Amino acid sequence: MLRRFVLFLTFASCCILSGCSSSVTQIKGSNFAVTEKAGSSSEIDKFIKPYRDKIDADMNTVLAFAPQTIDKSGKLQTPIGNLFADMTLESARFLLSKRENKTVDFCLLNAGGVRSIIPKGNVTTRVAYEIMPFDNNLIVVELKGQQVQELLEYFASEKKPHPIAGIHFDIKDGKPENVFIGSVPFDNNRNYTVATSDYLYNGGDNMLFFKKAVAKYDLDYKLRNVLIDYFEKNDTIVPDASERVHLIN
C-alpha cells in the first residue's frame, strides 16, 4: 500500500490579508492512504491519454532483434552482463578518444544495476528502460595500479557477476590471479582508465576504490542511452560469451 505524506502550512492570516510578507507559523503532517478505493477520474484519464499513448508508442519502438533470450544465468558472469559491459566499454572508448584523445582500458559495472533481461524477439526502447531504469551516467576514471588491485580483490570477495569487459582473470582461493587487461598482464605500477557509472564512482555497492581515482571524465551520457544507441546500430543482438572470470577450485 502506498501512502502519501501531506504537509499543511498554516500562515498568519492577518499578514496575508494585509499584504505583508507571509510566514509559516505551524507545520502539521498527516498520512493518507492511497488505495484503489480512491477510484479514477474520467476527466483526468481523458486528459492524460494522448500523453500516455505517445509514451507507449515511443517505448514500443522496435530497435533490434534478439535471436535468443539474453538472461542473467551464470555465477561470475552472465550473458546480459557481458553484453552491457561490452557496449559500455565500446561507447566509453569512442567518446573519450573523441573528447580527450585518451583510451579506456576496461569496464566494471555492478550486477545489481542490471535490472532485467532481453527476451527473445524484438528489442524495444522499453527493454532498455527495463534493464537500466536509473539515470546513471557513464564516466571514466583513472586508477592507480593499487586501486585496480583493490577492485580485483573486491570482485573476488563479492562472488557476484558484476559486468566486466576488457579484462580477464582467475580466482583461486578467493584471490585474483593471472590478470590480463586487454592482452597485456596487469602491471601494478601503472595507471588504468576504467569505464563505470557515476553511482559506483560515488561509492555505490561499496566500491570505494573508485573514490580514490586520480582523474575523472564525465561523459555526460546515460547508461540507458548506451543501450538504446547500441540497439539502434545493431539489428541483431548477440552477447559475447567469452570467459572473463575463471574460478579455480
Side-chain angles (χ1 to χ4, degrees), residues 220-249:
D220 191 26
Y221 190 36
K222 295 193 183 303
L223 288 177
R224 183 189 306 118
N225 291 336
V226 169
L227 289 158
I228 293 173
D229 291 345
Y230 183 89
F231 294 157
E232 288 181 333
K233 290 186 295 184
N234 297 270
D235 57 1
T236 304
I237 309 300
V238 179
D240 181 353
S242 61
E243 187 174 56
R244 294 145 200 233
V245 183
H246 177 58
L247 182 62
I248 300 176
N249 296 324

Side-chain angles (χ1 to χ4, degrees), residues 17 71 75 122 124 127-128 146 176 182 187:
L17 293 173
D71 60 19
K75 185 174 182 181
N122 289 333
T124 64
V127 170
Q146 180 181 347
D187 181 356

Side-chain angles (χ1 to χ4, degrees), residues 10-145:
T10 303
F11 295 91
S13 57
C14 60
C15 285
I16 295 175
L17 293 173
S18 63
C20 69
S21 299
S22 61
S23 60
V24 179
T25 60
Q26 190 177 25
I27 298 178
K28 294 181 180 180
S30 299
N31 284 321
F32 291 87
V34 180
T35 67
E36 293 181 359
K37 292 181 180 180
S40 61
S41 168
S42 59
E43 291 184 2
I44 293 177
D45 288 342
K46 183 179 179 180
F47 176 79
I48 67 175
K49 185 179 186 304
Y51 302 98
R52 181 191 293 122
D53 292 346
K54 177 63 168 63
I55 291 173
D56 284 341
D58 290 343
M59 296 292 277
N60 292 330
T61 300
V62 176
L63 305 177
F65 180 80
Q68 299 294 332
T69 295
I70 304 173
D71 60 19
K72 295 184 178 183
S73 60
K75 185 174 182 181
L76 292 178
Q77 62 186 63
T78 67
I80 187 65
N82 283 5
L83 178 66
F84 201 2
D86 284 341
M87 66 174 74
T88 301
L89 180 58
E90 178 183 309
S91 295
R93 281 175 170 167
F94 173 78
L95 292 172
L96 197 66
S97 173
K98 186 176 180 180
R99 297 179 188 182
E100 303 287 343
N101 196 29
K102 294 180 180 293
T103 188
V104 182
D105 294 306
F106 67 97
C107 172
L108 171 66
L109 301 174
N110 61 317
V114 184
R115 308 299 288 187
S116 187
I117 65 172
I118 300 177
K120 178 181 178 180
N122 289 333
V123 180
T124 64
T125 303
R126 188 182 304 276
V127 170
Y129 274 80
E130 290 171 346
I131 295 171
M132 176 48 65
F134 315 111
D135 287 332
N136 295 150
N137 282 328
L138 170 60
I139 67 169
V140 174
V141 297
E142 182 178 345
L143 299 179
K144 293 182 179 179

